[in-house]
Amino acid sequence: MNNLSISLPKFILIASAWFLISPCQAQPSKDSTQTSDPVMVNPNGQRDLQVQNQPLILRAEAYAGRPYGIGKIKFRLRVGDELVTRTNATLLSDAENRVLYPVISKSPAKTFFQSLFGKQPDNPDDAHTMWFLFQGDQPLRLRLDGSGGTAFEVPVEFARDRQFRRTVDQWWQGFNRSIKEQIEKSDYPPMAEVYLMSMLGKRFGLQVDDPFNRKKDPLMQTFELMFDVESLRSDTIRNAMLKGNNEGVANQPLPQPIRWSPVVVSQLPEGIEVEPIAKCIPKECFYLRFGTWNNQIWLQQLMEEFGGDLSRMVQVRGFKQKIQSKFLDQLAIQSSEWDRLFGGNLIDDVAVIGTDTYFDNGAAVGVVLHARASETLKNNLLAKRKKFARDKKSLGVTLQTIDFEGTEISLLSTPDNRYRSFYVVSGNCHLMSTSLALAQRFVEAGQGKDSLGDLPEYQFARYRMPCDREDTVFIYLSTDFFKQLLTPQNQIELRRRNRIVTDIMIFELAHLAAANENYADRSIEGLIRGGYLPQGFRSRNDNGTFELIENRWQDSIRGQRGFFAPIPDLPLKQVTLEEVNWFNERADFFTKSIRSLDPMFVAIKRYELGEKVERVVFDSRIAPFGEDKYGWLMSMLGPPLQQEVPSTPEDIVRIQASIRSGRAGKLSHHQIFAAVQDYVDPNVDLRPTSVLKSFQALKEAPGYLGAWPTPGFLDWLPSLGGAPDPYGYTYSRLLNLWRLQWDGFSVISFDQQRLESLKPHLQVVPTERPAHVRLNVGDLANSKIRDWANTVNYRRSWQTSIANVKLLNMLTQQFRVPPDEANEIVERMLNVELVCSLGGQYALANLASGRPIWHSTAWPSFSNPTIPDGHTAPVLTWFRGLEVEVSKTPNQFVMHGFLDIQRTESAGGLPSFDLFKGFGSFFGSDSDKETDKEGNKNND
């Protein structure tokens, strides 16, 4: 291994020298001069746009073929073209529009070496390789644009079949590397990339691999469908383009549902209190209870502080789906008016319920209010709905009444489902829902038919988490909720909806590709013949169609995309044989592997910890817990931690876990412990870069990872499994990584001094409470590693922001979409809003040559990037600490913890955390034990 590390620099030098002396075969044309357009600067004074450098063409070749020829250009950009390089804004064009689908591909070996030696792979003066397809066999008059442009001519050669086939393989490898790299660095759903891979692969008869390289089983496929995972549509596009869409005629009855084993709840004590609102909730609904009106105001305000999306508190995202506003808008709920109207005076209890969570494409959800003065509340709501219908009449809003077994259900709606609000009253409970079927079940539940409050499993949950705890939020997911998600109707309809959304994307991309190739017949039949649409594209097993109305896609059966009619309101009567077989495959898997489902419940309570600081305590459980069906999880966990390695005073992030691992069928139980310490190495370069490499971040992290009493997977690392020196150390030159083996402990770090200072702390002490996983995170915002954490976040945010612009540039490069139209097309196709994760705005700005390119107003200079003064990672603005414990017992799976949050306003009116009865009961003391029939206490 040492010899390899010595020879690598020599190899790079030799390869670079060969590359530099290789002759250039491109023939510059007469107009290969820089343009003389005036220099223009973007709105935030971006200096990167002021340069105008001509690309240097090193080599160019083109080989004629059918249906396309293949060309390759090796070139260099110049220092000053960093923004162009890193946003994939290099543009290849030709006078006759014969060039198609150009991509810049990096050699995997070159990328590896650059990463290994810490060099950024996107430097403009590196040699780049661009592959492209072209039509015809006449010489190509090309122009390559960076900040400036170079025009040149490339003769077209005729290669023998074997040589051309080899060129095709090389192009396909380069094309795939480029597309997969874009997917890896992006945050948006990669529909355009997958379409291009599938369409071109099918056209050339080449292998099209899954770009995500995932192992699929029925459980994972079902999970993706249930939770609308973004990668699912990529799979659907790929399968449709390669195999076609012919699914047959819907002439089969629905398949039989999955045969689940019942959940067994042991005998419960008498007198368990269940809140009245739970008696009107259908048992198959998820249940998110706030208890008081002020509690839902708290969650709403917390979401508003983070742009309406709690996930943005911790996750850097490059797009926004507006789930909350969509849900409230569809119900015609205007939150500010509600707050003034109710303010807790008319409401005893409030909950959000639903039979699914498909907010992006038509969820069956609703808001339930338990009223103090039911008739007053009803009159107020009906009056507001009448006024809303009058005010929105020009939008097609209508108000009507539906009779359901003597109960009136009010419907406020539009034909495209942009507004879809059912209102019904059952006793003192009021429901506003997007679903008629849910409104009807609400009435039945209120009359005593299959309500959540009557379920023994829910009463068991209330026995474990009584109502008098007064939780801020209580969430319950019943077994019936999970079962109805997996019914034949729900699963098959979900599959159809996924295909509809996917077909819309394919249709848009097919039109762009056909226009790019100057293909004349753009009817559906013509696009199918041209290979732009899959075979059977027009066949819909429900006979529905979709069309673009006022720049919004609308399905003839389900309504406007994003506002589809809920699944329970569209009962399936017949399905295709292929759908029957598809569902039966999944049913067979669950019947054999899962057999029963467990309920899940979570309680959240908030306390005042200090001025404008809240402590949010959470307690989540799966109970009763059937350990046998979670083999994938149980196989990873060892016995609970009875002893632990104590943390050092410098540890600010700390995790310990009991796991089992091994190779060749040999398993060993051991504990792992890891920490990030509150220390900044003065030699670490904390300047931002445009690419965040995981290995790079790990090397910069001031931390360590250890195992006890056996080293476990640490023995797998290269060069670290050998005999240590007299001081306990081994070292890997390849990874620049140290390992310490000391008194039965095995610890690795990139800093030997850190390991040396750790030696006095390598011991074990009894744990306060048994647990399988324990995580502690301190206040990063007020720590020494704040700048490091801020830099890591900035790198990730910048990379995400750049990826969005790469997508816009890809539409211009791959489909010849005018730059000023790219953003609108992307947002309509993906049904999202592209947002800059650095807080800037995406805008067009002209290069010095006059060519418009996309950028963000929040980007630093690419040539000399620095973090702007005052920049703070979003998580550092609110995060003040976290503790989590995970434990498993024979009859439940538990996760406890708390999260400290800095708010913009004072919490006010909250109980002090000192009033809480301490962490003894919280993490499982005698008061949290279950007594069996013999009077013995079982720790659950």
Side-chain angles (χ1 to χ4, degrees):
M1 192 63 68
N2 293 343
N3 291 335
L4 175 61
S5 63
I6 294 173
S7 63
L8 287 180
K10 294 181 180 178
F11 173 81
I12 295 175
L13 288 173
I14 295 171
S16 301
W18 175 87
F19 195 85
L20 287 172
I21 63 175
S22 298
C24 175
Q25 296 180 354
Q27 301 174 10
S29 64
K30 296 179 181 180
D31 59 345
S32 60
T33 58
Q34 281 188 330
T35 58
S36 57
D37 297 332
V39 171
M40 298 188 69
V41 183
N42 71 1
N44 69 329
Q46 177 61 266
R47 296 183 62 188
D48 297 293
L49 299 178
Q50 299 183 40
V51 299
Q52 181 172 274
N53 293 322
Q54 289 180 313
L56 175 63
I57 309 302
L58 303 176
R59 178 189 296 269
E61 53 195 66
Y63 298 96
R66 296 291 183 270
Y68 301 111
I70 295 178
K72 180 172 69 172
I73 302 170
K74 290 188 176 181
F75 67 95
R76 295 183 190 275
L77 298 180
R78 309 297 180 91
V79 173
D81 280 358
E82 286 82 3
L83 185 149
V84 173
T85 303
R86 295 176 185 173
T87 61
N88 286 355
T90 307
L91 181 67
L92 179 67
S93 58
D94 70 298
E96 296 86 11
N97 286 337
R98 294 163 53 197
V99 170
L100 301 167
Y101 310 117
V103 294
I104 296 176
S105 173
K106 302 179 181 69
S107 163
K110 183 178 179 181
T111 302
F112 171 76
F113 291 146
Q114 289 173 322
S115 175
L116 187 64
F117 292 103
K119 184 181 179 183
Q120 285 297 327
D122 291 326
N123 292 323
D125 55 347
D126 285 342
H128 302 281
T129 300
M130 176 178 283
W131 291 93
F132 62 92
L133 303 180
F134 66 91
Q135 298 170 324
D137 51 21
Q138 298 301 308
L140 293 165
R141 293 188 293 158
L142 304 177
R143 178 182 173 90
L144 187 67
D145 278 280
S147 58
T150 297
F152 56 101
E153 188 172 287
V154 180
V156 175
E157 303 178 30
F158 292 86
R160 294 181 179 180
D161 290 345
R162 181 177 298 179
Q163 180 184 359
F164 184 75
R165 194 66 196 179
R166 186 163 55 248
T167 303
V168 169
D169 292 340
Q170 293 172 348
W171 158 75
W172 187 237
Q173 292 172 8
F175 185 88
N176 275 267
R177 281 196 300 268
S178 176
I179 293 296
K180 289 179 180 179
E181 181 184 21
Q182 172 70 2
I183 292 174
E184 289 171 0
K185 294 181 180 179
S186 67
D187 181 57
Y188 56 83
M191 308 309 169
E193 292 91 334
V194 174
Y195 172 83
L196 284 174
M197 290 177 65
S198 305
M199 186 265 289
L200 294 176
K202 178 70 177 296
R203 189 172 291 181
F204 278 90
L206 298 168
Q207 177 70 31
V208 181
D209 298 324
D210 176 10
F212 299 97
N213 295 320
R214 294 159 300 162
K215 181 181 179 181
K216 291 297 191 71
D217 56 37
L219 179 62
M220 179 58 68
Q221 293 171 350
T222 304
F223 174 85
E224 290 182 346
L225 190 63
M226 287 170 57
F227 296 98
D228 200 20
V229 176
E230 295 164 2
S231 60
L232 178 64
R233 295 200 177 100
S234 300
D235 292 340
T236 307
I237 289 177
R238 177 169 161 265
N239 292 333
M241 294 301 299
L242 298 179
K243 302 176 183 178
N245 270 340
N246 296 312
E247 294 187 349
V249 180
N251 57 6
Q252 301 290 316
L254 279 172
Q256 292 298 311
I258 300 171
R259 297 187 300 274
W260 300 107
S261 299
V263 173
V264 178
V265 179
S266 58
Q267 186 175 357
L268 297 170
E270 299 291 335
I272 297 176
E273 180 187 359
V274 174
E275 66 276 20
I277 196 173
K279 295 285 188 176
C280 65
I281 307 300
K283 68 177 184 179
E284 67 273 18
C285 287
F286 73 78
Y287 177 49
L288 194 159
R289 184 206 181 203
F290 295 99
T292 68
W293 186 256
N294 287 335
N295 286 343
Q296 73 86 24
I297 293 294
W298 166 76
L299 183 60
Q300 182 186 112
Q301 290 175 344
L302 185 64
M303 294 180 71
E304 288 174 354
E305 288 183 26
F306 294 92
D309 186 356
L310 285 179
S311 67
R312 300 187 70 84
M313 293 176 67
V314 295
Q315 190 177 21
V316 177
R317 298 310 309 259
F319 62 91
K320 187 177 180 181
Q321 292 180 317
K322 299 182 178 179
I323 288 177
Q324 184 203 27
S325 61
K326 180 189 297 185
F327 165 45
L328 297 178
D329 288 348
Q330 197 174 19
L331 290 177
I333 293 177
Q334 297 173 323
S335 181
S336 59
E337 294 185 13
W338 274 52
D339 298 345
R340 289 195 298 268
L341 175 63
F342 304 128
N345 296 321
L346 298 179
I347 306 299
D348 265 333
D349 209 344
V350 57
V352 175
I353 67 171
T355 59
D356 60 63
T357 57
Y358 312 132
F359 291 98
D360 192 37
N361 273 303
V365 292
V367 176
V368 182
L369 308 173
H370 188 264
R372 295 175 183 172
S374 185
E375 198 63 27
T376 302
L377 178 61
K378 177 180 178 181
N379 292 335
N380 271 316
L381 289 176
L382 289 176
K384 292 180 72 64
R385 290 167 70 85
K386 289 179 181 178
K387 181 178 184 302
F388 188 92
R390 288 195 304 269
D391 294 344
K392 303 289 185 179
K393 185 176 181 181
S394 61
L395 300 178
V397 176
T398 60
L399 185 64
Q400 56 183 301
T401 301
I402 301 170
D403 178 77
F404 175 67
E405 299 179 354
T407 300
E408 290 187 350
I409 300 176
S410 168
L411 170 60
L412 184 73
S413 65
T414 53
D416 62 0
N417 293 328
R418 179 63 181 79
Y419 294 103
R420 183 182 176 90
S421 178
F422 295 90
Y423 171 60
V424 64
V425 181
S426 178
N428 290 330
C429 292
H430 300 242
L431 169 72
M432 273 165 290
S433 170
T434 59
S435 167
L436 174 60
L438 179 56
Q440 294 170 341
R441 278 289 295 122
F442 174 80
V443 173
E444 293 176 341
Q447 296 171 350
K449 182 180 178 181
D450 295 331
S451 75
L452 182 68
D454 292 330
L455 280 181
E457 68 176 59
Y458 185 75
Q459 293 172 6
F460 173 79
R462 276 310 184 192
Y463 170 59
R464 305 303 304 146
M465 296 182 178
C467 294
D468 59 13
R469 290 164 43 118
E470 297 183 350
D471 296 311
T472 306
V473 181
F474 180 76
I475 305 169
Y476 191 82
L477 307 177
S478 67
T479 56
D480 289 280
F481 170 70
F482 292 117
K483 286 178 183 178
Q484 63 84 27
L485 286 178
L486 294 167
T487 59
Q489 172 176 330
N490 203 80
Q491 287 288 292
I492 293 174
E493 172 61 18
L494 269 180
R495 188 170 183 252
R496 291 184 178 185
R497 290 175 180 228
N498 178 61
R499 178 182 164 183
I500 292 167
V501 173
T502 301
D503 281 354
I504 289 172
M505 296 179 181
I506 292 176
F507 187 73
E508 290 221 40
L509 290 165
H511 267 268
L512 294 177
N516 180 39
E517 298 184 25
N518 299 314
Y519 185 79
D521 188 355
R522 297 177 197 169
S523 65
I524 289 181
E525 292 79 5
L527 293 173
I528 292 174
R529 285 193 299 270
Y532 303 100
L533 289 176
Q535 293 294 324
F537 182 81
R538 295 196 65 154
S539 66
R540 284 271 298 273
N541 39 30
D542 57 10
N543 297 319
T545 59
F546 57 81
E547 59 181 330
L548 192 63
I549 301 177
E550 296 181 355
N551 206 36
R552 296 185 179 92
W553 287 104
Q554 187 161 318
D555 182 73
S556 61
I557 296 175
R558 297 162 181 83
Q560 181 180 318
R561 181 186 176 188
F563 297 93
F564 283 170
I567 291 177
D569 292 1
L570 296 172
L572 286 178
K573 296 180 180 179
Q574 290 187 310
V575 296
T576 68
L577 180 61
E578 193 274 341
E579 289 172 329
V580 171
N581 294 333
W582 174 85
F583 178 80
N584 285 339
E585 178 186 359
R586 279 146 184 77
D588 184 64
F589 172 83
F590 281 100
T591 301
K592 294 178 179 178
S593 304
I594 304 296
R595 295 190 297 278
S596 65
L597 300 170
D598 298 324
M600 179 185 302
F601 45 104
V602 182
I604 299 173
K605 192 169 180 66
R606 63 192 183 113
Y607 298 87
E608 184 175 359
L609 195 63
E611 184 180 359
K612 297 184 180 181
V613 179
E614 294 180 3
R615 171 158 289 181
V616 178
V617 180
F618 53 88
D619 181 3
S620 61
R621 309 186 184 198
I622 299 176
F625 177 72
E627 185 172 323
D628 57 326
K629 69 177 72 71
Y630 300 98
W632 57 274
L633 177 60
M634 297 303 104
S635 64
M636 295 187 294
L637 294 178
L641 297 169
Q642 302 289 345
Q643 295 175 307
E644 63 181 2
V645 180
S647 62
T648 72
E650 292 79 19
D651 295 348
I652 191 168
V653 179
R654 175 82 174 183
I655 186 171
Q656 296 204 64
S658 173
I659 64 173
R660 68 177 84 177
S661 67
R663 290 184 290 182
K666 297 181 180 179
L667 293 177
S668 64
H669 299 291
H670 59 283
Q671 298 180 22
I672 62 170
F673 56 96
V676 174
Q677 297 188 314
D678 195 12
Y679 166 81
V680 177
D681 186 343
N683 297 318
V684 172
D685 183 4
L686 292 181
R687 290 182 305 165
T689 62
S690 65
V691 179
L692 175 64
K693 296 290 186 183
S694 300
F695 189 67
Q696 174 190 354
L698 285 174
K699 289 179 67 175
E700 294 175 354
Y704 59 86
L705 170 65
W708 174 88
T710 62
F713 63 87
L714 295 186
D715 271 345
W716 304 359
L717 295 173
S719 301
L720 293 175
D725 65 17
Y727 302 100
Y729 292 105
T730 51
Y731 176 66
S732 169
R733 292 181 181 273
L734 178 65
L735 301 177
N736 192 26
L737 188 64
W738 291 90
R739 177 180 178 182
L740 171 65
Q741 298 177 73
W742 192 261
D743 289 343
F745 295 89
S746 181
V747 195
I748 60 173
S749 175
F750 291 100
D751 185 350
Q752 185 184 18
Q753 293 301 318
R754 179 167 287 109
L755 294 179
E756 187 67 22
S757 65
L758 195 62
K759 283 183 178 180
H761 301 280
L762 293 179
Q763 55 183 307
V764 291
V765 297
T767 60
E768 183 179 353
R769 297 169 301 276
H772 288 80
V773 180
R774 185 173 286 114
L775 171 66
N776 301 84
V777 184
D779 184 359
L780 301 177
N782 296 297
S783 68
K784 297 176 183 176
I785 65 169
R786 171 190 171 94
D787 290 342
W788 173 78
N790 211 28
T791 300
V792 171
N793 174 271
Y794 191 87
R795 289 173 181 167
R796 178 68 181 95
S797 300
W798 191 13
Q799 178 176 308
T800 301
S801 179
I802 289 172
N804 281 351
V805 169
K806 285 183 175 180
L807 173 62
L808 299 176
N809 289 336
M810 186 184 72
L811 258 65
T812 297
Q813 182 73 281
Q814 301 293 322
F815 299 104
R816 293 199 185 100
V817 171
D820 59 346
E821 298 177 14
N823 189 66
E824 179 184 349
I825 291 174
V826 165
E827 292 190 347
R828 183 183 66 229
M829 182 170 59
L830 300 182
N831 199 34
V832 299
E833 174 189 354
L834 293 183
V835 294
C836 174
S837 46
L838 290 176
Q841 299 294 321
Y842 291 125
L844 282 170
N846 285 348
L847 294 168
S849 63
R851 180 166 70 95
I853 64 169
W854 285 94
H855 77 295
S856 168
T857 57
W859 285 351
S861 169
F862 280 73
S863 57
N864 186 26
T866 56
I867 297 180
D869 293 339
H871 172 82
T872 302
V875 68
L876 297 182
T877 64
W878 64 267
F879 181 87
R880 295 298 176 264
L882 171 72
E883 285 193 19
V884 179
E885 286 188 0
V886 177
S887 58
K888 171 191 70 70
T889 67
N891 57 11
Q892 70 175 337
F893 192 85
V894 183
M895 183 171 69
H896 296 293
F898 65 79
L899 174 66
D900 293 338
I901 300 176
Q902 178 78 53
R903 301 296 302 274
T904 56
E905 300 294 337
S906 178
L910 291 178
S912 167
F913 190 71
D914 294 337
L915 298 179
F916 193 56
K917 300 303 181 182
F919 284 101
S921 62
F922 177 66
F923 286 112
S925 68
D926 288 344
S927 64
D928 197 30
K929 295 179 180 179
E930 187 175 323
T931 304
D932 62 22
K933 293 181 180 179
E934 287 74 29
N936 300 317
K937 286 188 174 182
N938 298 317
N939 190 5
D940 62 6

